[in-house]
Amino acid sequence: MNPSYFRIKLNMEEAINRLCIWNDVIYKEKIETRYSNAVRLCVDEKGQWKGQCLYVYEKDGWTVFEDLSGGYSLIEPDSWLEFAEKDEFLLAGYNDAIICAEMLAIVDGKVIKYFLECDDCPEDDVNEGDGIPDIDNWVDVASFVDEDELVYAETGTVLIF
């Protein structure tokens, strides 16, 4: 499995607009859909990704961006700080096939947790900040992702960049 998402405490319209400004690009497609159809909408007739794809929805005051195509991993914290501005933000994801996990939490414009562990590049591993306790290895991040009650919605919007 390799679930990955980021979420920001903003309404969906504002969050999507901010993402487009931060990416300096507007989405090519915006499609309302059910979760079960999201990936199918993101690939062409040859099974190739149409671009960077996100499944987006609002939940409990957060906008959640599920990263379907893997284009939003390993982005530097300083860049995410620009995106988050002063809004609460969390990025989390893991890949159990290559043993890799990432987590970044931002509150009030400050990084309160930055974790990165990847078996392929152990020299780049990071575990800074105590804003999210008990994150010491990739399994902790995977458990956090799998237990995050804000992540999952039956209906949402696919954005293709």
Side-chain angles (χ1 to χ4, degrees):
M1 287 182 49
N2 60 347
S4 178
Y5 66 92
F6 57 98
R7 57 180 164 92
I8 188 164
K9 194 133 186 159
L10 276 176
N11 72 57
M12 196 162 114
E13 183 179 346
E14 287 180 88
I16 290 172
N17 286 338
R18 187 178 296 175
L19 183 68
C20 290
I21 291 166
W22 179 69
N23 274 332
D24 195 27
V25 66
I26 190 75
Y27 46 82
K28 296 184 283 190
E29 295 182 58
K30 181 180 181 182
I31 308 160
E32 304 294 322
T33 190
R34 298 179 63 76
Y35 184 77
S36 58
N37 292 326
V39 172
R40 187 177 7 260
L41 293 169
C42 293
V43 297
D44 63 20
E45 59 281 347
K46 295 179 182 177
Q48 301 297 311
W49 289 103
K50 293 179 182 178
Q52 290 187 358
C53 301
L54 298 167
Y55 179 68
V56 187
Y57 48 90
E58 257 185 278
K59 197 166 192 180
D60 295 340
W62 291 83
T63 298
V64 181
F65 296 87
E66 291 191 35
D67 187 1
L68 301 177
S69 57
Y72 289 87
S73 60
L74 303 176
I75 294 173
E76 291 296 320
D78 286 345
S79 187
W80 283 119
L81 277 164
E82 289 176 20
F83 172 72
E85 297 178 8
K86 295 291 182 192
D87 296 298
E88 197 169 341
F89 172 89
L90 178 82
L91 171 134
Y94 70 93
N95 184 330
D96 60 4
I98 62 170
I99 311 301
C100 188
E102 178 178 21
M103 176 178 275
L104 177 69
I106 298 171
V107 175
D108 294 325
K110 294 181 178 125
V111 173
I112 62 166
K113 183 67 177 180
Y114 178 43
F115 179 89
L116 178 64
E117 181 180 335
C118 189
D119 272 3
D120 289 346
C121 304
E123 67 278 3
D124 295 333
D125 289 357
V126 177
N127 190 0
E128 298 173 348
D130 56 7
I132 299 176
D134 303 321
I135 301 294
D136 296 313
N137 57 54
W138 79 272
V139 174
D140 296 335
V141 175
S143 295
F144 182 96
V145 168
D146 292 346
E147 295 168 7
D148 190 342
E149 294 181 6
L150 292 174
V151 178
Y152 179 74
E154 185 60 37
T155 59
T157 302
V158 165
L159 297 177
I160 303 172
F161 291 91

